[in-house]
Amino acid sequence: MQRQCCHCIRTVASYAQALAASSTVVSPARKFLQLLCTQSYATISFTDPSVQDRRKNRSFVPQDPDFLFVDPTAALQKYVEAPLFNVNEKPFTPTKLDMLAAQEVFRSTTEGDIKMIDSMIDPDEAPLYDLPEIAFLGQSNVGKSSLIRALFINTPRLKVPISKTPGYTKTLRFYQVKDHFTLVDMPGYGFGQPEYFRTCVEGFLRKRKNLVKTFMMFDALSDTNLEHLRILEKLRISYCVVLNKIDLANDTARLKKLAMVRQVRDQYASPSCFPQPFFVSSLTGEGLAYIQAFIAHITGALALESDR
C-alpha cells in the first residue's frame, strides 16, 4: 500500500503541472495542484489507511506552502506574554532559503549517494568512518522510522522499513547521506523492545566518537517517560527532543510539551539538552524542512545565510 501511495503522488505531481496551468482549474483546486508542482510537495508523506482514518478530520494539504518552512514552535508565542526562549536559548533560526538548501542535502542526485550501509545488534560491529553521525531514539511506535522515511521522501530508492507493529526496529540501521553524515535508526524501547536493547543502545551511545547529536523522540499527545532522557544525561550525550505527530496536537498540548522540555533543562541544569524542541509531523510535513536544516547544519553540510 505504501509503495502504491508513493507511486500515486509522483504520478499526480507530474500530471498536476499541466492541470495547474489550465484556466479550467479553479481555486482551491488550482492552489493544491500548484503546491504539488513545487519542491514543497515532496515533504508530504503518506501513511497507511488506519492512520489516515485516525486523522481524517485533519487535512494534510497546507493552505500556504510557507507552512512547511517555519519553526512550528513560533506560532505558540502569541499565547504567552514572556518570550518562549531567551536569546541564548534558541540559537537556530534558518531562513526559508536555508531550509530549501537543506532539502537538497536529503535529496538523492545519483544512484547510491544516499543508502543504508549496515545493520547490526552489536555496536562493536558498527562501521567506522570519518563522517559526523546523528542518531534517533524513541519509544516503540512513536513514529521514529516513519519520520526518517519522511526526511528522505526525495530519495524514493531508499527503503526505510516501517511497520504498524510496535518494536519493529530491532537493529542499529546506518544510513549514509552522501559525503555529509550518517543517520542511525536505533531500536525502540518499551513494548516489543529487544532483550538486548540496553547493551545495544547504551553501548552505541557510549562508544561512538563521531556522534554529534541524538534526537530523542516522543509522541506529542502521549505521556512522556523521561527514563531514557536520564540515561542520556548520565552519559552526557548531546541530545534534543523531537515531538512527533503534532498534527494531532492542539496548541495547548504543544505548549505543555514545550514546558516539559524547559523543565528537563532546568531540572538537570543541562548543557547536554538542546533547549529548543522540534515539533514535526511525518503526515503533514510540518517541521520537516526545519529539522532537516538543523541536521544539515550541525553536521557541517549546510552553512546558514546568517553565517556567510
Side-chain angles (χ1 to χ4, degrees), residues 28-290:
R30 176 190 291 274
K31 190 171 187 179
F32 171 50
L33 291 170
Q34 288 173 338
L35 174 62
L36 288 177
C37 296
T38 67
Q39 283 187 330
S40 58
Y41 90 87
T43 64
I44 300 172
S45 63
F46 293 82
T47 54
D48 58 87
S50 63
V51 177
Q52 293 282 17
D53 291 341
R54 182 161 56 92
R55 303 178 181 185
K56 62 184 177 181
N57 294 323
R58 294 179 181 270
S59 171
F60 72 88
V61 181
Q63 295 301 308
D64 183 352
D66 286 341
F67 161 95
L68 298 170
F69 298 98
V70 296
D71 171 11
T73 63
L76 302 177
Q77 182 61 68
K78 62 186 176 184
Y79 297 111
V80 294
E81 294 183 2
L84 291 175
F85 303 96
N86 297 328
V87 174
N88 63 335
E89 288 181 329
K90 191 168 182 290
F92 188 65
T93 53
T95 65
K96 180 178 178 179
L97 289 177
D98 291 328
M99 288 184 266
L100 286 170
Q103 284 189 334
E104 295 306 309
V105 173
F106 286 82
R107 184 192 303 274
S108 176
T109 55
T110 60
E111 186 172 359
D113 60 347
I114 298 178
K115 58 191 175 184
M116 189 173 80
I117 58 173
D118 216 336
S119 176
M120 80 289 299
I121 293 172
D122 187 351
D124 288 333
E125 298 177 359
L128 299 177
Y129 37 67
D130 294 329
L131 297 177
E133 194 170 69
I134 62 168
F136 280 79
L137 175 64
Q139 188 170 344
S140 300
N141 213 31
V142 75
K144 176 170 49 66
S145 296
S146 294
L147 174 61
I148 293 172
R149 174 179 282 192
L151 292 175
F152 291 114
I153 194 68
N154 288 321
T155 304
R157 295 190 197 93
L158 180 67
K159 305 303 180 185
V160 179
I162 62 173
S163 173
K164 291 182 291 184
T165 303
Y168 180 73
T169 302
K170 300 293 188 184
T171 62
L172 299 165
R173 295 176 178 156
F174 290 73
Y175 299 92
Q176 183 174 332
V177 182
K178 304 175 184 177
D179 293 327
H180 298 313
F181 60 90
T182 300
L183 183 153
V184 184
D185 186 5
M186 294 193 280
Y189 59 86
F191 184 82
Q193 84 175 38
E195 59 183 12
Y196 49 80
F197 173 84
R198 189 170 292 273
T199 56
C200 174
V201 170
E202 288 193 28
F204 172 86
L205 294 171
R206 289 177 185 276
K207 297 175 181 179
R208 300 304 286 184
K209 295 181 180 180
N210 291 2
L211 185 61
V212 175
K213 190 79 69 178
T214 296
F215 292 81
M216 188 70 188
M217 288 188 61
F218 298 103
D219 190 307
L221 288 181
S222 301
D223 292 337
T224 302
N225 184 338
L226 301 181
E227 176 187 353
H228 288 83
L229 281 184
R230 297 186 185 100
I231 294 174
L232 293 175
E233 289 287 346
K234 179 181 178 181
L235 297 176
R236 297 185 179 181
I237 301 295
S238 179
Y239 70 92
C240 54
V241 173
V242 179
L243 297 164
N244 194 23
K245 305 179 185 177
I246 61 165
D247 53 288
L248 295 174
N250 59 26
D251 286 346
T252 300
R254 295 183 186 198
L255 278 169
K256 287 181 179 178
K257 290 297 184 179
L258 182 60
M260 180 271 292
V261 175
R262 295 175 64 88
Q263 182 181 6
V264 168
R265 180 209 59 188
D266 294 341
Q267 176 182 351
Y268 293 105
S270 174
S272 298
C273 177
F274 191 69
Q276 173 187 0
F278 291 86
F279 289 0
V280 296
S281 169
S282 57
L283 180 74
T284 65
E286 188 174 0
L288 286 185
Y290 189 76

